[in-house]
Amino acid sequence: MIRQRGAWLFLVIICVLAMSTGVRADGYDAFKGLEGTLKISGGTAHIPVMQELAREIMTRYPAVRITIAGGGSGVGIKQVGEGLVDIGNSGRRPTDEEIATYDLRLHRWAVDGVAAVVHPQNPVRALTSRQLQDVFAGRVRNWKELGGPDQAIHVFTRDEASGTRNVFWKKALGKGTIRKDADVVPSNGAMKTAVATDPAAIGYMSVGYVDETVQAVALDGVDPSVENVRSGRYPVARGLYSNTKGKPSALAQAFLDLLFAPEGRAIIAAKGYIPADK
């Protein structure tokens, strides 16, 4: 009896010592014993989170290689559906037709706002929905009509495969027209560069991409902040999805699980997005 009690006490001490020294499972442990290449493409709003996770995974597990490409939501859905990549990212929910055609499994791991942005030197910091729609439709073509400088408005947009464009067009522009002479850029990163280097520019991008190089514009008196997106006060928002064709591979499943683990959620929040529950 004394020996049994002693053995039990020894096990308790070992467990306490293990916990106190930080020996614990984390979201990256799912990659133990795995090897091979995980291919990811699609929505560009996802890329900051994907890259951060991929760097940490490949540092810990050199037998795992992860490639990440953009192309927009439509590209991500199409490429995963055709078996060209393991995970296809989209900044919109795939349509019922896409889900049925490609046997897609949807994994929504974050909520993201989409904000209109201008150059930091532009004094126009707030617009109504009607003003924003008039600007993108070309009915308003000079910043002086909005309280800004006497300067022609330079409109930037995304191509029709973009999930960022899709939500902005629906929820901010009310499915209105976009000027045919608007300059088209291929990604959120390219949009930030275009607007940051053009004092007459206006465009739109994921709230997660907004930094001091651009100025986010309040819409109908509501700033596109993470807090306002989370509360629902700022309505131009969407889910961020990582989609697979059928059941994910072991590598893809480990990556998807990490997005919902504490380590993944911390990175999602740090990049300006709102983590979603699994």
Side-chain angles (χ1 to χ4, degrees):
M1 187 69 171
I2 294 175
R3 287 183 179 179
Q4 288 178 341
R5 287 180 180 175
W8 178 83
L9 181 60
F10 177 77
L11 289 173
V12 170
I13 292 171
I14 290 297
C15 290
V16 170
L17 286 173
M19 293 174 64
S20 66
T21 54
V23 177
R24 62 182 180 85
D26 66 23
Y28 296 100
D29 288 347
F31 291 90
K32 288 180 179 177
L34 297 180
E35 59 182 25
T37 298
L38 179 67
K39 296 179 180 179
I40 303 172
S41 73
T44 60
H46 306 58
I47 289 178
V49 172
M50 303 279 115
Q51 288 180 333
E52 186 78 14
L53 291 175
R55 276 194 293 268
E56 183 65 23
I57 292 164
M58 291 188 289
T59 298
R60 294 188 183 207
Y61 304 101
V64 175
R65 178 168 174 75
I66 302 172
T67 65
I68 301 167
S73 298
V75 170
I77 291 170
K78 187 172 187 291
Q79 288 189 344
V80 74
E82 294 178 348
L84 301 176
V85 297
D86 304 289
I87 295 175
N89 291 327
S90 63
R92 61 171 176 82
R93 187 184 188 278
T95 66
D96 291 342
E97 182 180 357
E98 289 169 333
I99 294 170
T101 299
Y102 296 129
D103 185 27
L104 295 181
R105 307 283 178 90
L106 280 52
H107 310 270
R108 178 178 175 272
W109 49 267
V111 175
D112 176 37
V114 178
V117 290
V118 297
H119 192 277
Q121 294 177 1
N122 192 329
V124 177
R125 302 298 173 87
L127 294 170
T128 65
S129 293
R130 180 58 183 271
Q131 288 174 323
L132 187 67
Q133 291 163 15
D134 286 345
V135 166
F136 275 85
R139 292 185 291 270
V140 172
R141 290 180 170 266
N142 194 299
W143 282 112
K144 70 179 180 181
E145 298 178 62
L146 302 168
D150 184 6
Q151 198 168 25
I153 298 172
H154 191 181
V155 174
F156 288 90
T157 189
R158 298 281 304 281
D159 63 71
E160 293 184 5
S162 165
T164 307
R165 172 184 169 129
N166 183 268
V167 69
F168 189 78
W169 174 69
K170 285 182 178 179
K171 297 186 176 183
L173 301 183
K175 298 184 178 180
T177 57
I178 296 177
R179 286 172 52 167
K180 292 183 179 179
D181 63 346
D183 280 333
V184 179
V185 294
S187 66
N188 277 282
M191 180 69 79
K192 181 163 66 175
T193 299
V195 174
T197 54
D198 185 347
I202 187 169
Y204 53 89
M205 68 178 67
S206 162
V207 168
Y209 269 80
V210 174
D211 60 20
E212 69 282 354
T213 66
V214 294
Q215 174 64 47
V217 177
L219 183 62
D220 295 325
V222 181
D223 289 323
S225 65
V226 172
E227 292 75 16
N228 287 335
V229 173
R230 180 184 290 110
S231 70
R233 287 192 66 227
Y234 185 76
V236 189
R238 41 71 181 280
L240 296 184
Y241 294 83
S242 288
N243 310 295
T244 61
K245 182 180 179 67
K247 183 180 179 179
S249 67
L251 266 179
Q253 188 63 64
F255 192 91
L256 294 167
D257 288 344
L258 182 56
L259 288 166
F260 296 97
E263 296 80 7
R265 291 171 68 88
I267 290 173
I268 291 167
K271 297 298 182 182
Y273 306 111
I274 301 165
D277 293 329
K278 194 169 185 179

